[in-house]
């Protein structure tokens, strides 16, 4: 990296190197990492620290002593016999590096070494610091957060030096984040991309990287033109060329995976012997990354290494690639089959956890199956992915994939059971992503056709399709045909002894009864469903059944232990089911509102809307916006309440069918009261202004308001405390988006336990009592630029 640029995102690594060099027994620290990760830059930065207490510091460039026997004299001469630190850069370029340095350390007890290398030297007493690429920046995150991400900051540093006239703020930050993700967070690759901004704007760079290879877009030269850095792709190719044949063979097999996978998946797809030993070697030289956060080790390739190795594999002939892809697709289908079995066995959370970590691979296999019109493979993959897409928040791309899979299944004459399930899932996703009541009602013909097809299949298929039909019905205006389907599903689930689907039908029977005002009947169904869910012990069932029960009058008399609304939100986060969280978070907000705790209600609404914005599922904003209208009214702010009513009106046609009668009536009364009390049309104007806002603008205004309503918490450190670290800021931003500790762990590349340590530190530094106040602080911070 260019020496004049600030060092970004490496404070923890710098602190670790300094700590190790400060230990009397530690005389050799080796910085390892992928080419372009910034090993040399970090070593130079440490050597230049004014308070580094190691004596004189000298540097040796191992690229200048490539012959055997030259390294030791160069290092010995660097300090001219004085005690101190020698930084040896690119030590792996010298053939006898390990032997030479080991001998020097033995003969010079006053010598300390900080070296950069492609892999550990395995010298006695060596301490290794593994330098990783930057964690992915989320392109959907608020721009205030993106501007603080180290990968984005590095891009901006280099772009500023080019004299570019392209915009580097606002929406451009999302494009920059996407470019950084596409380059795997590799600092030198990010610099090379940013150096192009005089000619190509961030949106253009993003499009170029999506359609072309990274080598074509980035070129190979150093971004400052000084030649201080080796050719990035040449260095990657050189590292690959040094591999022995067995490791090179496995690396090429790994190019087929788009996700981090375990040893079993590698063995299943490659079919190679000695996979464990080969993986160990590849991890040592940083060509494969080992992720141990979940307890089980998962392995992945950096995207630029994958691109280079995939290209080399293609040089051997397209037949090699086709055979590798075929084995990968068979593995992906096996994962999907096991997920469908778990779903059918009443373990939906297990099914989702099988699919979610390897979603990229399953989607790749699905696209290939659709291109080849492989109906059986495409159907299996799509049916396994559909529940995950729904729980995380469905998008137009998901609806399109379901439609394409349906078309292939119909064209190829797939079995009625498969076609009925695809049709039902397609209808449910269309209803969930609809923005108008007419769009929701338009799915009825598909639901009817799906049920009719399922009647010609097995009872097991029929009960599943009935469940999907009833689940879709919660957003339908006309439910006359759905109520008998729910009753049929109940009876069929009982006859099949299908506890999972029986629990779901009891839950939905309770919801339908509640929506129609039959509270006693709803209470009976909800209690039965919750009792069964407790025995099944799956969060995907426990949280919604408990949530329904808590919203019903008389639930306290059931004798069942019920979680608080806040505990429901926590349970939804832990399960990873964003769809359920989008429902229970407004429930928690209404609970706080009824208790008169306006700040807590505002925080719940703000977090729900931030989660909807992060997921890009604007339909989830309806209920929290409605709740915010009540919060503003209770806070004696009728104009802001009217604006929230206007924002809610955009979602109301789809939201209203899911509201119980009393909730709908209360909302209508509140809205009518506003309209009747508006002096000189002020409230009507505020309502119209709110209704005219786009989704993103409305969400930002809502988040700004919730920040202003939230309890005051310090926005600067109190005396005796420290500022949040970069990592703590990243954790805090993801807390605001409603992510669980496990999701934060996966996104940031740290263990769940480390996430817990960071959250505790955040609460202590900000002098807050928990997540709600910490979220309030961050909402307040991120809302400021929009004011």
């Amino acid at each position: 990296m260019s020496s004049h640029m600030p060092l970004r995102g490496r404070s923890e690594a710098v602190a670790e190197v300094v700590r190790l060099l400060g230990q009397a027994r530690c005389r050799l620290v080796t910085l390892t990492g992928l080419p372009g990760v910034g090993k040399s830059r970090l070593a130079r930065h440490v050597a230049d620290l004014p308070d580094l207490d190691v004596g004189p510091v000298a540097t040796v460039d191992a690229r200048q002593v490539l012959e055997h026997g030259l390294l030791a004299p160069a290092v010995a001469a660097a300090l001219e016999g004085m005690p101190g630190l020698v930084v040896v850069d690119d030590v792996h370029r010298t053939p006898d590096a390990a032997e030479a340095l080991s001998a020097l350390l033995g003969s010079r007890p006053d010598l300390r070494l900080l070296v950069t290398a492609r892999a550990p030297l395995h010298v006695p007493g060596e301490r290794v610091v593994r330098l990783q690429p930057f964690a992915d920046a989320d392109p959907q995150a608020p721009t205030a957060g993106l501007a603080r991400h180290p990968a984005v900051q590095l891009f901006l540093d280099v772009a500023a030096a080019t004299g570019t006239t392209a915009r580097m703020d606002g929406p451009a930050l999302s494009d920059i984040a996407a470019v950084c993700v596409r380059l795997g967070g590799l600092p030198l690759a990010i610099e090379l991309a940013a150096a192009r901004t005089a000619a190509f704007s961030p949106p253009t760079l993003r499009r170029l990287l999506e359609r072309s290879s990274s080598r074509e877009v980035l070129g190979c030269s150093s971004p400052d033109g000084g030649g201080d850095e080796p050719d990035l792709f040449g260095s990657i190719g050189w590292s690959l060329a040094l591999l022995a044949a067995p490791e090179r063979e496995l690396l090429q097999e790994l190019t087929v995976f788009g996700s981090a996978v375990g040893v079993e998946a590698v063995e299943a797809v490659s079919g190679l012997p000695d996979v464990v030993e080969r993986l160990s070697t590849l991890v040592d030289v940083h060509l494969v990354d080992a992720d141990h956060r979940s307890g089980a080790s998962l392995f992945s390739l950096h995207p630029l290494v994958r691109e280079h190795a995939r290209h080399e594999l293609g040089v051997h002939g397209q037949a090699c690639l086709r055979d590798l892809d075929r084995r990968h697709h068979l593995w992906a289908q096996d994962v999907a089959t096991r997920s469908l079995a778990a779903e059918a066995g009443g373990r939906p959370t297990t099914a989702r956890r099988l699919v979610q970590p390897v979603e990229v691979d399953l989607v790749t296999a699905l696209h290939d199956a659709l291109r080849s019109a492989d109906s059986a493979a495409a159907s299996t993959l799509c049916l396994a992915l559909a529940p995950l897409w729904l729980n995380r928040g469905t998008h137009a791309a998901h609806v399109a994939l379901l439609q394409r899979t349906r078309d292939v299944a119909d064209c190829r004459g797939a079995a009625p059971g498969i076609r009925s399930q695809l049709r039902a899932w397609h209808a449910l996703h269309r209803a969930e992503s609809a923005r108008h009541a007419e769009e929701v009602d338009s799915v009825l013909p598909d639901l009817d056709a799906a049920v009719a097809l399922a009647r010609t299949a097995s009872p097991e298929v029929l009960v599943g399709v009935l469940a999907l039909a009833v689940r879709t019905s919660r957003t339908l205006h006309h439910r006359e045909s759905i109520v008998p389907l729910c009753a049929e599903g109940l009876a069929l689930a009982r006859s099949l002894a299908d506890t999972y689907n029986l629990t779901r039908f009891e839950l939905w029977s309770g919801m339908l009864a509640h929506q129609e005002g039959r509270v006693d009947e709803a209470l009976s169904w909800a209690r039965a469903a919750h009792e069964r869910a407790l025995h099944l012990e799956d969060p995907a069932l426990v949280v919604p059944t408990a949530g329904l029960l808590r919203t019903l009058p008389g639930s306290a008399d059931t004798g069942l232990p019920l979680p608080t609304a806040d505990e429901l939100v926590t349970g939804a986060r832990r399960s990873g089911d964003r769809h359920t969280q989008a429902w229970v978070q407004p429930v928690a907000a209404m609970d706080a509102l009824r208790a008169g705790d306006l700040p807590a209600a505002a925080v719940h609404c703000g977090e729900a809307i931030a989660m909807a914005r992060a997921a890009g599922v604007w339909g989830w904003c309806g209920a929290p916006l409605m709740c915010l209208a009540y919060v503003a009214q209770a806070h004696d702010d009728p104009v802001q309440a009217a604006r929230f009513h206007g924002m809610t009106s955009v979602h109301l046609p789809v939201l209203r069918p899911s509201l119980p009668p009393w909730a709908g009536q209360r909302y209508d009364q509140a809205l009518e009261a506003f309209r009747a009390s508006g002096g000189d049309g002020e409230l009507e104007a505020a309502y119209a202004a709110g209704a005219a806002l786009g989704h993103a603008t409305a969400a930002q205004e809502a988040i700004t308001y919730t920040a202003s309503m939230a309890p005051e918490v310090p926005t600067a450190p109190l005396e005796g405390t420290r500022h949040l670290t970069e990592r703590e800021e990243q954790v805090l931003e993801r807390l605001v988006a409603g992510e669980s500790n496990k999701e934060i762990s996966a996104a940031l590349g740290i263990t769940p336990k480390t996430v817990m340590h960071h959250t505790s530190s955040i609460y202590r530094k900000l002098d807050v009592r928990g997540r709600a106040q910490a979220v309030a602080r961050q909402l307040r911070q991120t809302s400021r630029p929009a004011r």
Side-chain angles (χ1 to χ4, degrees):
M1 284 188 283
S2 308
S3 59
H4 64 280
M5 293 295 173
L7 187 67
R8 297 293 189 182
R10 297 306 191 192
S11 57
E12 293 179 11
V14 169
E16 177 63 6
V17 173
V18 171
R19 184 186 71 81
L20 292 172
L21 290 174
Q23 296 178 353
R25 296 182 180 178
C26 180
R27 299 177 54 215
L28 170 60
V29 177
T30 303
L31 279 170
T32 68
L34 190 67
V37 80
K39 303 183 293 293
S40 300
R41 175 70 194 289
L42 191 141
R44 291 196 296 266
H45 176 84
V46 170
D48 291 340
L49 290 175
D51 55 350
L52 186 66
D53 188 17
V54 292
V57 179
T59 299
V60 171
D61 185 350
R63 288 176 292 177
Q64 306 302 317
V65 285
L66 297 179
E67 295 182 19
H68 193 284
L70 295 183
L71 178 63
V75 174
L79 290 174
E80 299 180 348
M82 298 176 60
L85 173 72
V86 178
V87 177
V88 185
D89 199 14
D90 274 352
V91 75
H92 48 262
R93 300 279 178 170
T94 302
D96 62 337
E99 297 86 347
L101 297 185
S102 181
L104 271 173
L105 289 169
S107 62
R108 289 279 304 271
D110 57 349
L111 176 66
R112 295 191 182 195
L113 297 171
L114 172 59
V115 306
T116 69
R118 66 190 289 267
L121 299 175
H122 302 297
V123 170
E126 177 187 34
R127 299 297 298 272
V128 178
V129 176
R130 297 178 64 88
L131 200 58
Q132 301 291 348
F134 295 131
D136 284 349
D138 181 3
Q140 302 300 322
T143 55
L146 285 179
R148 294 194 298 272
H149 193 283
V152 175
Q153 289 178 326
L154 177 60
F155 187 103
L156 294 174
D157 290 338
V158 177
T162 69
T164 180
T165 58
R167 290 290 300 271
M168 294 290 159
D169 57 0
L173 289 173
S174 295
D175 293 308
I176 292 171
V179 167
C180 295
V181 171
R182 174 65 181 79
L183 299 175
L186 193 64
L188 182 54
I190 293 170
E191 282 202 321
L192 290 168
R196 299 280 196 183
T197 52
F200 304 107
S201 67
T204 303
L205 279 172
R206 180 178 187 174
R207 290 195 300 273
L208 288 173
L209 284 168
E210 287 171 351
R211 78 179 195 192
S212 308
S213 73
S214 301
R215 182 188 292 271
E216 291 176 24
V217 176
L218 302 184
C220 300
S221 60
S222 176
D224 60 1
D228 293 336
E229 295 291 343
D231 163 14
L232 172 61
F233 295 98
S235 295
I236 292 174
W238 178 77
S239 290
L240 267 62
L242 292 180
L243 293 175
E247 284 72 29
R248 192 182 189 86
E249 182 182 21
L250 179 59
L251 183 75
Q252 290 176 333
E253 296 285 312
L254 288 171
T255 62
V256 79
F257 291 106
S259 313
V261 296
V263 175
E264 296 80 5
V266 176
E267 291 173 333
V269 172
S270 71
L272 296 173
D274 303 323
V275 163
V276 171
E277 187 62 34
R278 300 187 202 195
L279 278 173
S280 298
T281 301
L282 291 171
V283 170
D284 250 3
V285 296
H286 288 269
L287 292 174
V288 169
D289 181 50
D291 179 352
H292 312 297
R293 291 168 297 180
S294 64
S297 297
L298 301 176
F299 302 93
S300 61
L301 295 183
H302 187 277
L304 299 188
V305 173
R306 182 179 186 273
E307 179 183 304
H308 189 96
R310 186 81 171 175
H311 172 74
E312 283 198 350
L313 184 59
V315 171
H316 300 305
Q318 291 302 308
C320 295
L321 288 174
R322 285 196 296 271
D323 180 61
L324 180 56
D325 288 341
R326 178 189 60 80
R327 287 182 271 126
H328 174 261
H329 295 167
L330 290 174
W331 165 80
Q333 290 172 50
D334 179 65
V335 173
T337 300
R338 287 187 282 122
S339 170
L340 292 174
E343 184 85 29
R347 294 174 290 128
T349 300
T350 299
R352 187 165 59 247
R353 286 172 180 167
L354 281 170
V355 171
Q356 185 170 3
V358 292
E359 179 187 1
V360 171
D361 290 278
L362 267 62
V363 170
T364 298
L366 173 58
H367 279 289
D368 287 346
L370 290 171
R371 276 194 293 269
S372 61
D374 185 341
S375 171
S379 299
T380 299
L381 292 161
C382 195
L383 289 174
L385 287 162
L388 174 66
W389 292 337
L390 187 75
N391 290 338
R392 197 179 54 217
T394 192
H395 292 278
H398 304 148
V399 177
L401 280 172
L402 280 159
Q403 177 69 66
R404 288 180 61 195
T405 308
R406 270 187 56 185
D407 292 344
V408 169
D410 289 342
C411 183
R412 291 288 179 170
I418 295 295
R419 288 158 53 210
S420 65
Q421 292 176 73
L422 288 170
R423 196 175 289 267
W425 272 112
H426 186 218
L428 177 54
H429 276 267
R430 285 173 55 205
E432 286 288 334
S433 58
R435 297 189 178 183
H436 306 287
E438 295 77 11
E439 291 179 1
V440 179
D441 290 338
S442 70
V443 308
L444 272 173
D446 262 352
L447 285 178
D448 292 339
V451 172
L453 271 173
R455 294 192 191 285
T456 68
S458 67
E460 289 78 11
V461 168
L462 177 58
V463 76
V465 170
L466 288 171
L468 293 173
V470 174
R471 189 171 184 179
T472 307
S473 76
R474 290 187 296 150
T475 51
L476 291 175
H477 278 78
H478 308 292
R479 301 178 183 161
E480 295 79 5
S481 60
I482 297 296
V483 173
L485 293 180
C486 189
E488 182 183 357
L490 271 167
L492 186 54
R494 285 197 185 99
S495 69
L496 293 171
D498 184 345
T499 307
Y500 168 46
N501 276 311
L502 181 56
T503 304
R504 296 205 294 174
F505 280 115
E506 287 173 337
L507 168 66
W508 294 325
S509 295
M511 287 181 172
L512 288 170
H514 189 203
Q515 290 164 2
E516 294 173 6
R518 305 192 306 274
V519 177
D520 290 341
E521 182 183 341
L523 186 62
S524 176
W525 286 122
R527 175 174 180 170
H530 189 54
E531 286 177 331
R532 291 187 200 281
L534 290 173
H535 288 295
L536 289 170
E537 297 183 345
D538 192 304
L541 294 174
V542 173
V543 172
T545 55
L548 174 61
L549 200 54
R550 282 200 84 262
T551 62
L552 297 171
S555 59
D557 301 328
T558 61
L560 293 174
L562 289 179
T564 65
D566 285 341
E567 289 170 340
L568 282 175
V569 173
T570 299
R573 288 194 194 105
R574 287 175 178 167
S575 73
D577 188 341
R578 296 287 186 87
H579 191 277
T580 297
Q581 187 182 341
W583 173 62
V584 299
Q585 195 108 37
V587 171
M590 290 301 295
D591 263 22
L593 186 60
R594 282 191 290 269
D597 190 347
L598 301 186
V603 167
H604 276 301
C605 292
E607 187 174 350
I609 293 170
M611 181 184 72
R613 180 172 66 177
V617 185
W618 300 112
W620 290 351
C621 291
L625 286 172
M626 180 180 288
C627 185
L628 282 178
Y630 295 135
V631 170
Q633 179 182 1
H635 197 243
D636 197 24
D637 190 351
V639 173
Q640 184 61 61
R643 285 182 68 87
F644 283 133
H645 280 304
M647 297 177 203
T648 304
S649 68
V650 177
H651 302 276
L652 196 58
V654 176
L655 178 64
R656 185 178 288 279
S658 65
L659 296 175
W662 63 267
Q665 291 167 8
R666 176 180 175 184
Y667 180 75
D668 290 339
Q669 291 167 0
L671 187 56
E672 185 60 32
F674 273 117
R675 286 174 168 162
S677 61
D680 299 326
E682 182 181 16
L683 297 185
E684 283 292 344
Y687 179 95
L693 295 177
H695 290 300
T697 306
Q700 182 58 56
E701 181 174 321
I703 289 171
T704 301
Y705 181 80
T706 59
S708 70
M709 279 292 301
E712 285 288 346
V713 294
T715 55
L718 300 178
E719 185 178 354
T721 67
R722 301 191 305 271
H723 286 278
L724 298 184
T725 65
E726 291 176 357
R727 179 68 80 195
E728 288 166 350
E729 289 282 3
Q730 293 166 0
V731 170
L732 184 54
E733 287 166 14
R734 293 183 178 276
L735 288 174
V736 171
E739 293 187 7
S740 65
N741 283 3
K742 186 174 181 180
E743 290 174 317
I744 296 172
S745 163
L748 299 183
I750 54 181
T751 66
K753 185 175 182 180
T754 302
V755 174
M756 291 175 60
H757 289 318
H758 281 313
T759 55
S760 298
S761 176
I762 289 167
Y763 301 157
R764 183 178 67 255
K765 288 182 179 182
L766 298 181
D767 193 30
V768 297
R769 289 177 292 180
R771 181 183 182 116
Q773 285 193 353
V775 167
R777 182 260 189 196
Q778 186 69 350
L779 289 174
R780 193 183 303 278
Q781 291 289 87
T782 57
S783 69
R784 285 177 177 172
R787 290 181 178 177

